[in-house]
Amino acid sequence: MSIKNDMVVQFNYTLRDEKGEELETNKGLDPIAYLHGHHNMMPGVEKALTGRAIGDSFSVTLPPEETYGIRNPDAEQRVSVKHLQGAKVWKPGMRAIIHTEQGQRQVTVLKVGKFMATVDINHPLAGRELTFELEVVGARDATQEEIAHGHAHGVGGHHH
């Protein structure tokens, strides 16, 4: 069964940087599940998985435009220190989570004062060419409910 739109795809991945160093992986954990063709996955990863089948393992190197985007040098913002989550004491270079109207966002702390911090709101991997080692472990037609909701349900997907 080839992966196409309106399918729930499950895969494992290892993400590597330009030097081949491992940045993250889900090996040993539940696979990632998403609804193919519904903008739930990075464009480059979704494109690389299109037409693949269960059992396929491959590697793809993608430009920033197809993953976390181009770095915006003006993407700095001042936020209250109380809105930074992930540590008690903050120092420049640390990563924090903040809640936005679009949901959680990972930021990098640039400067810290007593009450306010300046953060870089670019994704930490923005602007980088990244290599994804992908293994397709599942693919099935999505249910009408999943299509209506716009996301995969079950293991690795959304739980209501």
Side-chain angles (χ1 to χ4, degrees), residues 14 106 150:
T14 298
Q106 190 175 37

Side-chain angles (χ1 to χ4, degrees), residues 37 51 53 55 81 84 91 95 130 140 146 151:
V81 172
L84 301 177
K91 295 180 182 164
R95 292 195 181 147
L130 301 169
R140 62 171 172 79
E146 288 170 319
H151 56 253

Side-chain angles (χ1 to χ4, degrees), residues 2 6 11 17 25 38 45 51 54 56 60 65 71 76 87 104 107 113 116 120 122-124 127 130 138 149-150 157:
S2 293
D6 296 334
F11 68 94
D17 67 10
T25 186
H38 290 258
V45 172
I54 296 171
D56 285 355
V60 61
E65 297 87 350
R71 282 194 73 69
E76 292 183 9
Q104 287 188 344
V107 299
M116 298 295 287
D120 178 348
N122 283 299
H123 188 282
L130 301 169
H149 289 183

